[in-house]
Amino acid sequence: MPERFIVSKAEEDTDIYQNEENATGKLLNDFNSDPCDNPQTESSNEKSSIDANLYLYDDELDTRPHVSTFISSLANYENTIPSATDPDSKAAAPAARMGTLIGVFLPCIQNIFGVILFIRLTWVVGTAGAICGFLIVLTCCCVTMLTAISMSAIATNGVVPAGGSYFMISRSLGPEFGGAVGMLFYTGTTLAAAMYIVGAVEIVLTYMAPWASIFGDFTKDADAMYNNFRVYGTLLLCVMGLIVFLGVKFVNKFAAVALACVIFSIIAVYIGIFDNINGSEKLYMCVLGKRLLKDIPIENCTKSDPFLADIFCNENGCDEYFKTNNVSRVKGIRGLSSGVFYENIFPSFLEKGQLISYGKNAVDIENMAPSTYNQVVADITTSFTLLIGIFFPSVTGIMAGSNRSGDLADAQKSIPIGTICAILTTSSVYLSTVLLFAGTVDNLLLRDKFGQSIGGKLVVANIAWPNQWVILVGSFLSTLGAGLQSLTGAPRLLQAIAKDEIIPFLSPFAVSSKRGEPTRALLLTVIICQCGILLGNVDLLAPLLSMFFLMCYGFVNLACAVQTLLRTPNWRPRFKFYHWGLSLLGLTLCISIMFMTSWYFALIAMGMAIVIYKYIEYRGAEKEWGDGIRGMALTAARYSLLRLEEGPPHTKNWRPQILVLSKFNDNFMPKYRKIFAFATQLKAGKGLTICVSVIQGDHHKITNRAVDAKAALRKLMDDEKVKGFCDVLVSRDIGEGLSSVIQTIGLGGMKPNTVIIGWPYSWRQEGKQSWKTFIQTVRTVAACHMALLVPKGINFFPESNHKIGGNIDIWWIVHDGGLLMLLPFLLKQHRTWRNCKLRIFTVAQMEDNSIQMKKDLKTFLYHLRIEADVEVVEMMNSDISAYTYERTLMMEQRNQMLRELRLNKKENSKIVQIIVDHHHDVTKTSSKVRFADPTNNVEEKHENDSDGDEKAKSKESDIDGLTTKFENGSTLNALEKGQSEDEKPEKKSGGNANKTLKPDEINVRRMHTAVKLNEVIVNKSQDAQLVIMNLPGPPRDSKIDRESNYMEFLEVLTEGLEKVLMVRGGGREVITIYS
């Protein structure tokens, strides 16, 4: 295998994205310098180990590494938030990354199917009826589906470490919202554990072992039943808390058992429904008139039986309703073929104390007797909204997949597919069972919450095949497993919030035990869970924890809506099937259900969130996570500006705040009009732009002229639809004026971070002042840590009202913050560039593995959510060409001649232009584009041609003198003939000439880089609509020769390209793979 494909792993790779917290836009000098970079002093002219192909960029490799170095540091990364593990177990081999089925779909299924399905769904269907019951389930499922869509958008907007909704909301809406919702989610998870425990106790005491009641016959006294739940629930909580504390390994293994129980139980229910299609003869109820009776043996269910007479009659006579109505036996499970569905269509809502009976006749449902006897009574007042609150916990658990994102092979693919498929599956089960229960079970039995009319049996269990114990054991184990999962996850969530240090009073709970367990958080969780158990009633716990989950889901939808409406550059979700309207609809549903279900519980949850929010705002630690609220603050007034003044914006909120440095012509009109159109296209109509021009002179003398210039600048901004501000600065020196503008312009968070300056097209003609100002500006921008954009060929750029197609080519040579990746993405947001395709080229050296480099670059773009074609260009080491030597000699001889002749500014430019014209006419073809000053016109030419004869003769004599000066051995005549000195060995030259013939090695290397890169770029991108490339840094010293050479290098680098945008980053990261 060729050596250039052999890649040796570095001993230590610096990963700038070690975790989300580090992705805050740190300076690029945190990179390790390139191992090839061995800088030498330029005065020594010693050979450098930098590859000759990129020698032009060698001065900055310590802060702007090669793209190959940067990509290799990102090739391998992983989420760093560990999941719960057993501290006592031995370190296992790294587990394989989970796919969509195992990692997302099945965990969501396990968490969604819960205790409500087994012990309350039949009661909800019987009370609400088939139609309203279907709407209740459909409404709850719609909430979770809309939330899942919003969550999928957030989860696929970059790499989301494990953390679930808390991580997504806190990083999207800020620490205040994140802390508040995190605490609500923690409270909801803890109360869910309480509900699961009470539900498990209810299954055991009511349906499996009623003889274990401590407080007597609970079928006749509801308070006795709830007291039993409290006592046994407390004992079960202690046991489960001890299990979580001692054995996380057991909890994780038991999750698989619980999932299997849920699946087998649901299958058994479906089989039982179709097995009993004609009804079941095993289950009968005793009905008095239209009222349902309880605790009546079916053999005693006759009016003549003394058993009933003893109940309804006493020494004062019999109950009036008993005397006027007959007693009948009714089949409880009538089957799908019986047509009972039509009897269960309409709702039968009751108030507390009313009797369960057929129909809504007041005679049947109102108890006029002094005692309820053995008639089944409604224990709570029911309504459509209350039933939504009771059922809603059955559809929670959709965050199980996002909580495991750290263990997924491809989280951005698995989370949306797995979560949405799990919701569709569970929703189908719920909706179908609503209709099947309504078509199978008698209305009275459906409304018998605890199965008292059939001897304290669970209705769903008696439907299932082959017998009721399948459901009883399965529902108990699955409920127990869900409770253990809640008790395991809640303490770790609390510890994660405490470790974020956003809520100071939670800091003690950030501490782990010696075994790595969140013992303190677990203790607090058990205490809160015990408070929920003391309520003792699933029907009270379910609406309460529904509030916390609805608040959490509402904020997930809010986070998605805010990010979508803000259109921040970092908002690039790979999941495309979302819309801010759907997110707002989900948020509206969440809030509506909260208040419809229980307005006082809703106020409690919202009040808790507000208190935590304000506490974090005033007392909490300041955190900057690049959230949407910080993005909104950029457009706010004084309050937001003061907030943004506290620190630089997060990488995810970085966007180009543009400062356009415009140059005026002699009529005080902006010289380059299209630079304003380019600024508009770059901002896509969003954000603010500041346009500034500097006029040379004394302010008090040309005040009116400055006012007129500012008016002209404002008019041009309005014509080009540039949204922002403009100003004109009067200064005695243009360079100093530009430096002052760059350093002082802007206010707080609206301070510009990107400067656009035009290319000095006439830098040769106008002498050293033009390029000197340009280089001084480049240095000032770099010193202020601002990004710099230099469009070249600006008159060829498209108008804002035009649409173009083609390619935008990005030549990524060195990494300086990712600005080269972000700029084309922003340009494509504007309709002018929307139809263009992105192509990214990078340069591979001899030691680089170009195949692996291309693969890593594609992976990097995938995580950036940017679609582009990738090509790695291999630049082979080659000898420095004769043309490179000629071009370098011309450059150095020009500087030497100018120093010796000491010509004035105008004569200098004339002679230099003659030399350059000779050089271009002989050594280069005319196919390449040469950038001339777009504002030069014919009038200037006529003006120059109309000079006096005496002046013309003087110039000719100067040129003749120059030719004579180098007549003996100079390189000028040889170059005019297109030959180098090396090609003319027969020509003798003096000692001074020999010294001139040897160009500086540093200059030769840099010219070689410029020539080679230019050849490659022109070959690949000559037809591109725009070429974006790195702008090499200016020379570190301020020698005139070095600065002039720098301009020549840039000319060679961009020669032959029509539209070029040279970019220099501001020394910080502006794009991130994280959400």
Side-chain angles (χ1 to χ4, degrees), residues 291-350:
R291 296 177 179 177
L292 180 64
L293 301 181
K294 65 179 179 179
D295 301 330
I296 306 296
I298 199 64
E299 60 272 11
N300 301 120
C301 187
T302 58
K303 194 169 184 179
S304 60
D305 193 285
F307 185 84
L308 285 179
D310 292 340
I311 295 175
F312 287 93
C313 300
N314 52 31
E315 63 274 6
N316 297 325
C318 295
D319 179 68
E320 189 65 27
Y321 192 85
F322 178 75
K323 292 191 296 183
T324 57
N325 290 276
N326 293 324
V327 177
S328 59
R329 298 177 181 178
V330 178
K331 186 185 295 185
I333 299 176
R334 298 167 62 178
L336 293 173
S337 61
S338 65
V340 70
F341 179 82
Y342 299 102
E343 300 177 13
N344 292 324
I345 289 180
F346 300 104
S348 302
F349 300 120
L350 298 175

Side-chain angles (χ1 to χ4, degrees), residues 186-187 189-191 193-194 237 483 486-495 509 518-532:
Y186 163 75
T187 307
T189 305
T190 305
L191 291 179
L237 173 63
S486 298
L487 286 178
T488 303
R492 285 164 174 77
L493 176 59
L494 180 64
Q495 187 182 44
F509 299 101
T519 307
R520 297 181 181 179
L522 177 61
L523 182 61
L524 179 62
T525 301
V526 170
I527 293 174
I528 297 176
C529 186
Q530 176 62 32
C531 296

Side-chain angles (χ1 to χ4, degrees), residues 82 89 118 152 201 211 214 263 276 297 331 355 394 491 619 704 728 748 861 869 873 966 1055:
S89 63
F118 300 108
S152 299
V201 173
W211 47 266
I214 300 175
I263 295 176
N276 297 315
K331 186 185 295 185
L355 303 177
S394 292
R619 296 291 304 276
N704 294 334
V728 173
L861 292 176
D869 296 329
V873 179
F966 294 96
E1055 201 168 28

